[in-house]
Amino acid sequence: MTALAQKMTNDTNDCFHTLAEGTRVLTPKGPVAVEALTEGMEIHTKGGQTGIVRSVTRRNSVDAPIRFDQGAIGNTEDLVVAPWQRVLVTGFQAEILYGQSELLVPAADLVDGDAIHRGDAGQVAYLEIELDGEHTIIAGGATVTGSMPAPRTQTPAEQLPNVRSIFSGKRRSFGAGGIATA
């Protein structure tokens, strides 16, 4: 894990993965819809380890979800997350912006209106997954990390136009796990 990823996951002990209903999380038995997770289940984490589910809490929100079309960030299926949920970005985009090989970015900051877009506003059912520690998990084939259950970003405001422009139209440039392929 990079120093940035380590710092962001160590900022709080109250971290949650906030996913929309229907999003699938990778477990040792294969992908499982977030609403089917139960206390004590194992979830695959980045690096091939597992985390244990402590709780799954349903939260209704008016914050429109962020939808990543399949392949937008290397995700193997459509991914729907809360706007403040941080996702892992790797490859040349992270290198250009921050000089890091990988970067955790709030989903809302990646909206490009093409392959990454804000979903419909209104009542949204989010599920907050609390694990036995601070883990980065695989959801929808993308890597997401725990977030505080409160809105928004730690991305510097002056970088947002750059983040959006780098991702705009780059859908096919990612391989599995968000790794840029060209």
Side-chain angles (χ1 to χ4, degrees):
M1 181 179 291
T2 66
L4 175 65
Q6 188 67 44
K7 179 196 178 313
M8 291 179 82
T9 56
N10 286 337
D11 283 345
T12 177
N13 289 328
D14 298 325
C15 289
F16 298 87
H17 300 82
T18 311
L19 309 173
E21 192 171 51
T23 302
R24 298 185 331 150
V25 176
L26 188 59
T27 73
K29 295 181 179 180
V32 173
V34 65
E35 61 270 21
L37 295 174
T38 58
E39 187 177 334
M41 287 182 76
E42 290 185 333
I43 293 179
H44 275 298
T45 65
K46 184 176 183 250
Q49 298 178 350
T50 58
I52 306 297
V53 174
R54 282 189 183 163
S55 68
V56 179
T57 306
R58 178 179 297 275
R59 302 263 188 242
N60 291 321
S61 175
V62 295
D63 293 317
I66 305 303
R67 298 179 185 279
F68 293 83
D69 291 343
Q70 181 180 355
I73 55 169
N75 46 312
T76 56
E77 55 191 61
D78 290 348
L79 175 64
V80 183
V81 301
W84 58 86
Q85 176 63 57
R86 293 176 294 171
V87 297
L88 183 70
V89 175
T90 61
F92 74 92
Q93 292 88 349
E95 289 283 344
I96 289 169
L97 288 173
Y98 295 96
Q100 299 273 337
S101 61
E102 53 185 27
L103 177 68
L104 295 166
V105 180
D109 294 346
L110 296 174
V111 171
D112 64 10
D114 180 27
I116 306 169
H117 47 93
R118 190 171 295 277
D120 296 331
Q123 206 54 246
V124 180
Y126 289 119
L127 290 111
E128 293 177 345
I129 307 167
E130 182 183 10
L131 300 177
D132 62 338
E134 297 169 356
H135 296 285
T136 302
I137 66 170
I138 312 301
T143 305
V144 301
T145 194
S147 301
M148 290 177 58
R152 221 38 203 183
T153 179
Q154 294 181 5
T155 302
E158 66 274 8
Q159 289 294 334
L160 295 181
N162 295 334
V163 170
R164 290 184 182 113
S165 68
I166 286 174
F167 283 91
S168 182
K170 299 294 183 191
R171 180 175 180 198
R172 293 192 186 117
S173 65
F174 291 95
I179 298 170
T181 57

Coordinates of all heavy atoms in Angstrom, one line a residue, residues 7 11 22 25 28 38 42 58 69 71 80 104-105 114 117 128 158:
K7 N -2.0 6.5 4.8 CA -2.4 7.6 5.6 C -4.0 7.8 5.5 O -4.6 8.0 6.5 CB -1.8 8.9 5.0 CG -2.3 10.1 5.8 CD -2.0 11.4 5.1 CE -2.5 12.6 5.8 NZ -3.8 12.6 6.3
D11 N -6.6 7.5 9.0 CA -7.2 8.7 9.5 C -8.2 8.5 10.5 O -8.5 9.3 11.4 CB -7.7 9.6 8.4 CG -6.6 10.3 7.6 OD1 -5.5 10.3 8.1 OD2 -6.9 10.8 6.5
G22 N -27.2 -4.0 -4.4 CA -27.0 -4.7 -5.7 C -25.5 -4.8 -6.1 O -25.1 -5.6 -6.9
V25 N -19.6 -7.7 -3.9 CA -18.3 -7.7 -3.2 C -17.7 -9.1 -3.3 O -18.3 -10.1 -3.2 CB -18.6 -7.4 -1.7 CG1 -17.3 -7.4 -0.9 CG2 -19.2 -6.0 -1.6
P28 N -14.4 -15.2 -0.6 CA -13.7 -16.4 -0.9 C -14.6 -17.4 -1.7 O -14.2 -18.2 -2.4 CB -13.3 -17.0 0.4 CG -13.1 -15.9 1.3 CD -14.2 -14.9 0.9
T38 N -23.4 -10.9 5.7 CA -23.8 -11.0 7.1 C -22.6 -11.0 8.0 O -21.4 -11.2 7.6 CB -24.6 -12.3 7.4 OG1 -23.7 -13.4 7.0 CG2 -25.9 -12.4 6.6
E42 N -16.4 -13.6 5.4 CA -15.1 -13.1 4.9 C -15.3 -12.4 3.6 O -16.1 -12.8 2.8 CB -14.1 -14.3 4.8 CG -13.7 -14.9 6.0 CD -12.6 -16.0 5.8 OE1 -12.6 -16.6 4.7 OE2 -11.8 -16.2 6.7
R58 N -28.0 -0.7 6.7 CA -28.7 0.0 5.6 C -28.9 1.4 6.0 O -29.3 1.8 7.1 CB -30.0 -0.7 5.4 CG -30.8 0.0 4.3 CD -32.1 -0.7 4.1 NE -31.9 -2.1 3.6 CZ -31.7 -2.4 2.3 NH1 -31.7 -1.5 1.4 NH2 -31.5 -3.7 2.0
D69 N -19.6 2.7 -15.1 CA -19.9 1.7 -16.1 C -18.8 0.6 -16.1 O -17.6 1.0 -15.8 CB -20.0 2.3 -17.5 CG -21.2 3.2 -17.7 OD1 -22.1 3.1 -16.9 OD2 -21.2 3.9 -18.7
G71 N -15.7 -1.3 -16.8 CA -14.4 -0.9 -17.4 C -14.0 0.5 -17.2 O -12.9 0.9 -17.5
V80 N -21.7 0.8 -8.3 CA -22.5 1.9 -7.8 C -22.1 2.1 -6.3 O -22.3 1.2 -5.5 CB -24.0 1.6 -7.9 CG1 -24.8 2.9 -7.4 CG2 -24.4 1.2 -9.3
L104 N -6.2 7.0 -4.0 CA -7.6 6.9 -3.5 C -8.3 8.2 -3.8 O -7.9 9.2 -3.3 CB -7.6 6.5 -2.1 CG -7.0 5.1 -1.7 CD1 -6.7 5.0 -0.3 CD2 -7.8 4.0 -2.3
V105 N -9.4 8.1 -4.6 CA -10.1 9.3 -4.9 C -11.6 9.1 -4.6 O -12.2 8.1 -5.0 CB -10.0 9.6 -6.5 CG1 -10.7 10.8 -6.9 CG2 -8.5 9.7 -6.8
D114 N -19.6 10.5 -18.9 CA -19.5 9.4 -19.9 C -19.6 8.1 -19.3 O -20.7 7.5 -19.2 CB -18.3 9.6 -20.7 CG -18.1 8.6 -21.9 OD1 -19.1 8.1 -22.4 OD2 -17.0 8.3 -22.2
H117 N -20.8 8.5 -13.9 CA -21.8 9.5 -13.8 C -22.6 9.5 -12.5 O -22.6 8.4 -11.9 CB -22.8 9.5 -15.1 CG -23.2 8.1 -15.3 ND1 -24.4 7.6 -14.8 CD2 -22.7 7.1 -16.1 CE1 -24.6 6.3 -15.3 NE2 -23.5 6.0 -16.0
E128 N -23.6 0.2 4.5 CA -22.3 0.4 5.0 C -21.7 -0.9 5.6 O -22.3 -1.5 6.5 CB -22.3 1.5 6.1 CG -22.7 2.8 5.6 CD -22.8 3.9 6.7 OE1 -22.9 3.5 7.9 OE2 -22.9 5.1 6.4
E158 N -8.1 22.3 -6.3 CA -7.4 22.7 -7.6 C -7.1 21.6 -8.5 O -6.9 21.8 -9.7 CB -6.2 23.5 -7.2 CG -5.1 22.8 -6.6 CD -5.2 22.7 -5.0 OE1 -6.2 23.1 -4.5 OE2 -4.2 22.2 -4.4

